[in-house]
Amino acid sequence: MRPTMRRSTEPRRRWAAALGITAFVVTGGGLLGGPAHAAATASVAVDFPTHCIPPPIAGIPPIDGTTTAQITVDDATPQVGDTVAVTYTVVVPAASNPVDLALPADIMTPTGKVTLGGAQSGDVTVAGPKKNPPVPGKGAFPSFSMTGTFTVTAPGAITLSPGDYNIHTSYIMELDTPCTVTGPPAPVSETVVATGGGQVNERAVQLSAASGQAGDEVTVTGTKFTPGAGITVAGRDGDAQTGDTATATADGSGAFTARLAVSDPDTTGIVAYEGGAWDAEKGAGPLAYTVTGGGEIPDGSQQLTTTVRAGTLSMTQAGDSVQLSGVDFGRGGASTGDLRTVTVEDFRGGPAGWSLTGKVTDFKGPGGARISADALGWTPSCATKPGSPSTCAAGSAGAVGSAGATLASTPDGAATGGEFTVDAGLSLDVPAFTGAGSYAGVLTLTLT
C-alpha cells in the first residue's frame, strides 16, 4: 500500500521625585465633557476616568483619577481612501507632582491610542515629542499632545475617542507609567463624516510598541498585502525614509511579521510597503513611533550595527512515497509504515506559531476498488532542535481521513521560531475481503 506525499542615602520620596512624571497624585475632575455626535462638528474636550500605574520603584500605589483630553483632525469630511491626521491632546493629566523637588524640562515622551468607532473600528497609534516645561514641586503636570494617522476605509460617521496613554520618563532611569481608560471606551471627542471615494488600499500595519530607546526592536505585523509579495518595513523622519529597514514576505493570506531595530533618534513613524520604494497605493502607515533616548555614542567610541533578517516558514520531507506492509485477502488488518520525516524551519521571528496538518484521499485499487480515506490513521511525534524558541507539540493519534488532522504545531508566543522534525507511524485498516491488488492514496501536508 503506498501513500504519496505532497507537499529600583535619601528617602524614597526623593526617589519618587527624581524619577520624573512617575509618582502621581490625583487631581480634581476635568473641565469639560462631551457626548457622541452623529455628524462632523468641532471637537470637544472630554473627561474620562483613568487608572495609572506608577513604576514600582516610586513606591506609589495605582492612581484612579480623571483625565481631560481632546481629539482633533486635519480633515473632518474626508473621502474613503484619504489619510486623516489625528492629534490627541491630554489637556489635564490625571496627576500632579506630589513632592517639593522640581522636575526638569524635556524628560517626558508620551504615546497612546485613539479609538475609532461608528462606520470604522480600530485604534490609531499616536506619539508625542520628548518635550515638556519644568514642573515645579507640588505643581500640576503639563498638557501634552500626540499625533498619528489613519486611512478612511468606510463611508459614514466615524467617532474618535481618547484611549490609553503612556508617559515615558528619561531622568536618571528609563521608566514607563501606563494610564488606561477605566470602563472603555472614553466619550467621543471628535466625529468625522466620510463620503464615498475610489478604491481603498486595505493594507494595514500594527506595532508592538509606539516608543523605545535607540536600537530597540519593534515587531511590525501587516495584513491584506499581496500574497507572496516582498515587504520593506522602514522608519520615517517626517516624509523621508531613515536608514532603519527590515524585510519580510507576505504569506498566502497577505500577512507578515517583521522586527525592525529603530536607531535613528529622529524617527517619527514606521511604514511598510511592497516594491523597491514607498508607494502609498501599495503600503501602509506611517504609524507614529518615538525614540525615547539611548544610543548616545561617547567621544572616542564607535557604534557598530548589524541586521538580522527575518526569514520564512518552510518544510522539507525525506522522500515523497511510503510503502506500507501488505495484508492477506480474506483476513485484512493493519497495513503499516512510517511517514517520511518532515523538517520544519521557522525563521520568521515574531509572535506567530505554526500548524502542520494532513489529509488523505481514498486509496484506489484495481477495477475501481477503493479503501476509504477514513481507514488511514497515524501516531504523530515531533522533536524540537535544542536552542529553538518554540517547542513542538505532536498532534493526536487517530484517523486522518479526507477532512484532515493535525500532525504537529507550535503555539503563538512573545518570541517564536526554531527547527523541528516531525514523524508519524501510519496504519491503514484494510477490510478483510478487499480485492487483491495494489492500492494508492495521496497524503497532502499543509504548513501554515
Side-chain angles (χ1 to χ4, degrees), residues 216-248:
D216 284 355
E217 284 190 339
V218 58
T219 299
V220 184
T221 56
T223 56
K224 296 190 177 181
F225 283 71
T226 302
I231 308 297
T232 298
V233 177
R236 291 276 288 270
D237 175 6
D239 293 332
Q241 183 166 310
T242 71
D244 298 328
T245 63
T247 60

Side-chain angles (χ1 to χ4, degrees), residues 39-376:
T41 61
S43 69
V44 295
V46 296
D47 294 338
F48 55 94
T50 314
H51 181 73
C52 300
I53 304 177
I57 197 171
I60 305 296
I63 300 303
D64 290 300
T66 299
T67 296
T68 300
Q70 186 166 4
I71 309 295
T72 58
V73 297
D74 67 338
D75 185 357
T77 56
Q79 285 196 328
V80 172
D82 287 353
T83 297
V84 176
V86 179
T87 300
Y88 178 174
T89 300
V90 175
V91 182
V92 181
S96 63
N97 186 356
V99 296
D100 294 325
L101 183 65
L103 304 176
D106 301 336
I107 64 168
M108 178 178 75
T109 306
T111 57
K113 292 184 181 295
V114 173
T115 300
L116 302 180
Q120 184 172 337
S121 60
D123 291 319
V124 181
T125 302
V126 291
K130 185 179 180 182
K131 186 174 183 62
N132 62 276
V135 182
K138 298 292 180 68
F141 283 127
S143 171
F144 54 85
S145 293
M146 304 166 286
T147 60
T149 62
F150 75 96
T151 300
V152 179
T153 60
I158 305 171
T159 61
L160 293 84
S161 300
D164 302 341
Y165 60 92
N166 181 69
I167 298 171
H168 180 88
T169 55
S170 302
Y171 184 52
I172 300 180
M173 299 176 70
E174 301 287 337
L175 297 171
D176 288 292
T177 302
C179 295
T180 58
V181 179
T182 304
V188 172
S189 175
E190 173 73 291
T191 300
V192 302
V193 175
T195 55
Q199 184 176 0
V200 180
N201 174 10
E202 294 186 308
R203 295 171 181 83
V205 289
Q206 289 187 321
L207 309 181
S208 61
S211 65
Q213 294 194 68
D216 284 355
E217 284 190 339
V218 58
T219 299
V220 184
T221 56
T223 56
K224 296 190 177 181
F225 283 71
T226 302
I231 308 297
T232 298
V233 177
R236 291 276 288 270
D237 175 6
D239 293 332
Q241 183 166 310
T242 71
D244 298 328
T245 63
T247 60
T249 301
D251 65 17
S253 69
F256 74 86
T257 299
R259 288 188 172 186
L260 177 67
V262 183
S263 299
D264 193 319
D266 295 324
T267 300
T268 61
I270 293 173
V271 298
Y273 55 87
E274 301 173 18
W278 166 253
D279 181 348
E281 298 301 319
K282 294 186 177 182
L287 291 188
Y289 188 88
T290 301
V291 177
T292 57
E296 294 83 2
I297 304 174
D299 292 342
S301 301
Q302 298 181 22
Q303 178 175 322
L304 308 180
T305 62
T306 188
T307 299
V308 177
R309 294 184 293 272
T312 61
L313 174 65
S314 64
M315 72 174 186
T316 58
Q317 52 190 32
D320 61 2
S321 65
V322 176
Q323 182 64 55
L324 301 179
S325 64
V327 298
D328 295 329
F329 176 78
R331 295 184 181 277
S335 175
T336 61
D338 294 309
L339 181 75
R340 295 286 188 173
T341 298
V342 178
T343 301
V344 176
E345 294 182 337
D346 183 4
F347 295 155
R348 296 169 296 171
W354 55 262
S355 177
L356 178 61
T357 60
K359 60 183 179 180
V360 67
T361 65
D362 288 344
F363 286 70
K364 298 179 181 179
R370 290 175 179 255
I371 302 173
S372 171
D374 294 335
L376 181 71

